Amino acid sequence: MSVNDDTTSSMLKRLADDPMLVLNKMASENGSLDLGLGFPNFPPPHHITQALSDAATGNNFTLHHYTSPYGHPRLVNVLAKLYSKFLSTTLDPTDHVLITIGAFQGLSSICQSLIYPGDEVILLEPFYAAYKTMLEMRGAVPVYVPLRPYKDGGEQSSANWVFNTAELQKAVTSKTKAIFLNTPMNPLGKVFDKKELREISDLCVKHNLLCVADEVYERLIYGGKQHTRIASFPNMWQRTISLGSAGKSFSVTGWKVGWCVGPKHLIQVLQNYHFSAIRTSPTPTQEALAVAFEKEMHVMNTPESYFQTISKELELKRNRLCQYLNKAGFNAITPDGGCYIIADISNILAHAVGKDKISEEALDYRFAKWAVTEKKLCVMPLSIFYSEAHRYMSEKYVRICFLKTDETLEKAKEILDEWKQS
Ligand code: PMP
């Protein structure tokens, strides 16, 4: 077999044309304002960097060496305590928790060890783009169920986007292995409510499905909304892996520490895979995060909690950027969680790139390229979070990140104000 015939290698070649990579490259080459990717351009809280500094310069030299393969004991201990509280059960740090190199590696390990070639996996659209790639690389088959806004026009919120129950039920076949649930959702910012989670959990229980609950944005929730863990629903603990990310929770995306929490029979498979493919995650960052979580446990639900501070600050940033976008002719869909705003560009699309399809390229992608080139503003086309079949649902939207300093948001305002005038 020649290299070109191999499905995986041709897929990997195609990934080089990923719009996210292309737009990022264009933006960094021409110095555009980058609201494309979801990382903070502000420092983490001092007590967290101090904890890392202490880990690196303190007397405990063992922190510079390999720690336990499945997770640094101090970190798995505090996470087990925390999730015992969240799920009202007693978790065992060695059996129920695995530390990974970011939640990304947790997702990848799940795809490699619990999903098999030919398995069908349900993805709710718009989905975190990596799910599709990871599943396809494994030879699994993503099956797509789109969320749709139930009202058009007027003020839009991520809560208006819902799945159709009959469509979700129809997506299950004898080959369905799992459903990926991302709440709060990237890119939409939707926080699934109890009724929606109940429907998903009923489906999982009825058809004996694995539920991959990607909860990396669990700390970034606004307007008094509550994050509900699907693992806490009846009969769901034994079939759910919940994923979290230190990057998103403590504004340290570069530390790349994530975790999987779940029942022993699932975590054990992941641990075995982890030992063969990854072996051990870095020790100093795990130690520092253990210190940070221990502090959070003491101050949880008080103004001293970083989780409270960050969500309050981000809610103001969200409101501010929605306002700037709406003033410029976008129609922002206010997110209840996460760090992105989806904005409807129907009113400005034609002026920017015309209405007609002149190539296979999605209109929103053409718009995003135009915005980088002409306006020096980098945003992401929503179509990259959709399947081919449902791409038409996404072409009038872009995704914009608000996890940025107020100075950056003011620069965005200047660009948008000038845009409006021109
Ligand atoms: N899941 C979702 C939905 C994400 O948005 C991201 C990061 N953008 C990840 C997982 C990966 O998280 P980490 O940075 O911890 O690897």
Side-chain angles (χ1 to χ4, degrees):
M1 185 191 286
S2 88
V3 173
N4 287 339
D5 294 335
D6 180 72
T7 338
T8 307
S9 79
S10 62
M11 198 185 112
L12 291 175
K13 276 197 201 117
R14 234 182 25 246
L15 291 178
D17 302 325
D18 187 319
M20 219 177 237
L21 289 178
V22 172
L23 288 165
N24 268 328
K25 185 161 179 283
M26 286 171 72
S28 68
E29 279 170 6
N30 81 351
S32 286
L33 190 70
D34 187 0
L35 302 187
L37 293 188
F39 63 91
N41 66 344
F42 48 81
H46 176 71
H47 71 275
I48 294 185
T49 49
Q50 185 62 50
L52 184 60
S53 165
D54 292 346
T57 57
N59 293 330
N60 185 357
F61 73 89
T62 65
L63 296 176
H64 293 284
H65 297 297
Y66 296 135
T67 186
S68 169
Y70 309 142
H72 186 53
R74 191 167 176 182
L75 182 58
V76 288
N77 280 334
V78 68
L79 282 172
K81 273 194 198 136
L82 210 59
Y83 276 77
S84 296
K85 231 177 171 165
F86 296 153
L87 300 173
S88 308
T89 181
T90 308
L91 267 64
D92 183 305
T94 42
D95 290 341
H96 298 140
V97 185
L98 171 70
I99 304 299
T100 53
I101 302 180
F104 200 93
Q105 188 243 305
L107 289 164
S108 163
S109 296
I110 289 168
C111 291
Q112 290 300 320
S113 62
L114 289 164
I115 311 274
Y116 298 107
D119 282 348
E120 291 180 5
V121 177
I122 297 174
L123 300 184
L124 298 169
E125 288 174 307
F127 51 81
Y128 178 48
Y131 299 158
K132 176 175 184 285
T133 318
M134 288 179 188
L135 290 167
E136 286 178 346
M137 283 199 288
R138 178 65 172 146
V141 183
V143 174
Y144 305 99
V145 176
L147 304 189
R148 296 185 185 84
Y150 64 71
K151 66 170 199 171
D152 238 355
E155 268 197 20
Q156 292 288 336
S157 147
S158 61
N160 299 346
W161 288 52
V162 292
F163 58 80
N164 175 298
T165 305
E167 218 174 335
L168 179 63
Q169 286 170 349
K170 243 179 85 187
V172 180
T173 73
S174 58
K175 291 188 181 158
T176 310
K177 178 67 163 284
I179 181 165
F180 279 40
L181 169 72
N182 179 208
T183 182
M185 200 178 192
N186 172 9
L188 184 60
K190 181 183 172 72
V191 177
F192 284 82
D193 67 24
K194 287 199 169 119
K195 185 177 160 289
E196 291 166 319
L197 294 175
R198 164 84 56 197
E199 285 187 32
I200 295 171
S201 70
D202 284 351
L203 192 83
C204 290
V205 173
K206 182 172 172 197
H207 298 282
N208 193 22
L209 307 183
L210 167 71
C211 180
V212 178
D214 181 344
E215 301 178 331
V216 300
Y217 296 102
E218 65 189 295
R219 300 290 156 207
L220 313 185
I221 299 210
Y222 319 114
K225 288 272 165 159
Q226 291 289 323
H227 172 58
T228 308
R229 291 167 202 280
I230 199 162
S232 67
F233 280 65
N235 300 314
M236 284 304 286
W237 161 251
Q238 61 265 40
R239 61 181 64 260
T240 303
I241 298 175
S242 307
L243 293 109
S245 165
K248 306 296 178 188
S249 301
F250 289 108
S251 308
V252 288
T253 55
W255 289 19
K256 289 298 290 181
V257 180
W259 51 90
C260 296
V261 172
K264 183 174 176 177
H265 66 276
L266 297 177
I267 293 295
Q268 208 166 40
V269 177
L270 288 176
Q271 287 174 336
N272 292 343
Y273 175 80
H274 192 87
F275 190 70
S276 314
I278 311 293
R279 191 69 34 128
T280 312
S281 303
T283 312
T285 41
Q286 290 193 67
E287 169 76 8
L289 282 165
V291 173
F293 269 120
E294 285 163 8
K295 176 176 158 85
E296 278 301 314
M297 279 201 72
H298 278 107
V299 297
M300 189 101 38
N301 302 324
T302 75
E304 270 191 69
S305 157
Y306 183 66
F307 296 158
Q308 286 219 351
T309 318
I310 187 70
S311 60
K312 277 199 185 123
E313 282 177 8
L314 283 183
E315 185 164 342
L316 296 177
K317 291 180 193 292
R318 172 199 73 165
N319 295 347
R320 189 193 275 224
L321 190 56
C322 280
Q323 203 186 2
Y324 297 164
L325 288 164
N326 288 339
K327 229 174 119 196
F330 293 72
N331 191 0
I333 297 163
T334 309
D336 287 326
C339 60
Y340 305 103
I341 296 164
I342 299 298
D344 186 331
I345 49 173
S346 303
N347 294 335
I348 49 180
L349 183 65
H351 180 71
V353 295
K355 261 198 217 138
D356 302 325
K357 279 202 109 132
I358 48 168
S359 68
E360 278 307 296
E361 201 164 74
L363 279 173
D364 57 340
Y365 186 26
R366 265 171 61 203
F367 176 87
K369 281 184 174 168
W370 175 89
V372 172
T373 312
E374 300 296 327
K375 299 294 170 191
K376 293 207 166 178
L377 180 67
C378 183
V379 299
M380 287 294 146
L382 195 66
S383 55
I384 62 178
F385 307 99
Y386 277 80
S387 59
E388 284 293 325
H390 295 152
R391 187 145 291 171
Y392 70 94
M393 297 181 186
S394 63
E395 287 186 63
K396 62 171 186 169
Y397 300 102
V398 289
R399 185 192 82 171
I400 305 147
C401 177
F402 58 92
L403 192 52
K404 303 293 170 197
T405 60
D406 289 346
E407 290 72 37
T408 302
L409 297 183
E410 284 314 298
K411 279 190 195 139
K413 178 179 186 295
E414 278 169 31
I415 295 174
L416 291 165
D417 283 351
E418 185 275 330
W419 189 330
K420 172 83 181 150
Q421 274 157 24
S422 68

